């Protein structure tokens, strides 16, 4: 009887071991099926790896030359090197040059929203890589990256500054250091969404300050932000940095709004 129960016990243990590891493998498979990584833009399940699904990737519109040497706005045909857009001539910004990785369209917008509002910080390395490529000219001579700061109240609610996360990812690509304290947002501003160009400029007027001149004086800086719409925010930031003695300020964003028709002069 005792002998039987011992062998019975052994049999149970012998059966339980593979059962337990088999169960674990099964559980893993179930979890993989239940929580597959989703494409941040279209929410379709991704196969393996991170980033975008193939369909969204092909829909992203990367900005390639020819573009305005100053603003980085793409031209529909190649007018030759160094030519400027009408915008750059009619309304020159405080910053020297701006570059963007992609056009701000539906796919780029979905990606930025997932990054900003759904805690998809894991997207920063991919976006930073694309930005480093788009901004290589700017980064080659840069002394520091300056993320556009959030007001502390918004930082509190969003928990991270998307511009600082992008600047960190770009810095890992190009080894230009991030100057986190170069710029401070001294006044909370309304969201720029839904404001006219003039209202946007008024809204951010005087909102930024470079508190420590020693950090920026004589330096060539690259401002980093996620999206460039009217350019009012980065223009105000550039003015603050230049007032504090920065030698040059360029702008590198993930996505920029591009109006449909642009004719070079
Ligand atoms: Zn997708």
């Amino acid at each position: 009887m005792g002998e039987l129960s011992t062998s019975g016990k052994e049999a149970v243990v012998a059966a339980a071991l593979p059962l337990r590891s088999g169960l674990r493998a099964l559980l893993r498979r179930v979890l993989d099926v239940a929580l597959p990584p989703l494409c941040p833009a279209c929410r379709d399940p991704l196969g393996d790896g991170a980033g975008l699904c193939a369909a969204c990737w092909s829909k992203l519109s990367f900005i390639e030359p020819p573009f305005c040497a100053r603003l980085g706005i793409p031209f529909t045909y190649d007018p030759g090197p160094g030519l400027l857009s009408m915008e750059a001539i009619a309304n020159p910004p405080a910053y020297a040059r701006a570059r963007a990785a992609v056009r701000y369209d539906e796919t780029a917008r979905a990606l930025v929203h997932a990054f900003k509002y759904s805690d998809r910080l894991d997207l920063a390395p991919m976006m930073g890589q694309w930005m480093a490529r788009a901004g290589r000219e700017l980064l080659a001579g840069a002394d520091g990256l300056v993320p556009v700061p959030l007001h502390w109240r918004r930082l509190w609610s969003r928990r991270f500054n998307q511009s600082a996360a992008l600047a960190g990812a770009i810095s890992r690509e190009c080894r230009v250091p991030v100057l986190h304290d170069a710029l401070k947002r001294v006044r909370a501003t309304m969201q720029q969404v839904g404001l006219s160009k003039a209202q946007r400029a008024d809204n951010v007027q005087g909102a930024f300050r470079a508190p420590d001149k020693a950090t920026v004086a004589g330096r060539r800086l690259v401002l980093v932000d996620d999206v460039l719409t009217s350019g009012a925010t980065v223009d105000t930031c550039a003015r603050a940095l230049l007032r504090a003695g920065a030698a040059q300020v360029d702008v590198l964003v993930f996505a920029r709004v591009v109006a449909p028709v642009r004719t070079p002069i």
Side-chain angles (χ1 to χ4, degrees):
M1 206 42 201
E3 214 183 345
L4 251 181
S5 89
T6 306
S7 67
K9 229 181 264 171
E10 273 163 6
V12 168
V13 170
L17 281 174
L19 181 73
R20 205 178 294 160
S21 65
L23 202 66
R24 216 177 291 142
L26 179 71
L27 204 66
R28 239 193 331 262
R29 269 203 300 277
V30 168
L31 282 174
D32 280 350
V33 173
L35 303 165
L38 298 181
C39 171
C42 69
R43 315 277 309 148
D44 272 0
L46 286 173
D48 40 280
L52 284 176
C53 75
C56 288
W57 164 269
S58 69
K59 271 190 269 173
L60 267 184
S61 176
F62 287 90
I63 295 178
E64 306 282 353
F67 47 64
C68 166
R70 186 90 195 264
L71 300 179
I73 298 171
F75 289 144
T76 45
Y77 66 95
D78 195 349
L83 272 207
L84 301 181
S85 58
M86 277 193 285
E87 288 86 337
I89 292 164
N91 196 13
Y95 51 84
R97 297 168 294 179
R99 296 291 181 266
V102 299
R103 285 174 190 245
Y104 192 62
D105 56 16
E106 210 180 305
T107 309
R109 183 177 168 275
L111 186 58
V112 168
H113 271 236
F115 173 58
K116 240 160 121 165
Y117 305 115
S118 309
D119 279 343
R120 290 293 309 267
L121 262 174
D122 57 300
L123 297 171
M126 176 183 77
M127 295 165 80
Q129 246 172 41
W130 298 344
M131 291 169 78
R133 202 185 313 135
R136 57 189 175 276
E137 253 183 298
L138 279 47
L139 298 167
D143 299 311
L145 305 175
V146 180
V148 170
L150 284 178
H151 189 259
W152 64 267
R153 223 177 291 145
R154 195 162 292 156
L155 185 63
W156 181 262
S157 67
R158 206 180 287 163
R159 289 187 297 188
F160 75 101
N161 175 0
Q162 74 280 358
S163 305
L166 292 174
I170 296 165
S171 178
R172 279 187 286 280
E173 294 291 318
C174 68
R175 305 280 155 207
V176 176
V178 183
L179 308 176
H180 286 284
D181 300 319
L183 209 54
K184 286 261 175 285
R185 195 182 282 252
V186 290
R187 180 165 67 72
T189 53
M190 285 187 282
Q191 295 271 23
Q192 298 277 72
V193 177
L195 300 182
S196 74
K197 196 171 175 169
Q199 286 170 328
R200 281 170 186 256
D202 283 349
N203 184 33
V204 292
Q205 184 70 40
F208 301 92
R209 193 169 303 146
D212 180 22
K213 288 192 177 177
T215 313
V216 301
R219 300 257 168 91
R220 288 162 304 172
L221 305 172
V222 178
L223 270 167
V224 176
D225 207 358
D226 54 350
V227 179
L228 188 150
T229 308
S230 70
T233 301
V234 283
D235 200 60
T236 310
C237 290
R239 277 175 211 284
L241 292 169
L242 291 166
R243 259 201 310 274
Q248 182 173 312
V249 180
D250 290 315
V251 173
L252 181 55
V253 297
F254 174 68
R256 72 163 303 143
V257 172
V258 178
V261 182
R262 299 285 174 189
T263 333
I265 290 175

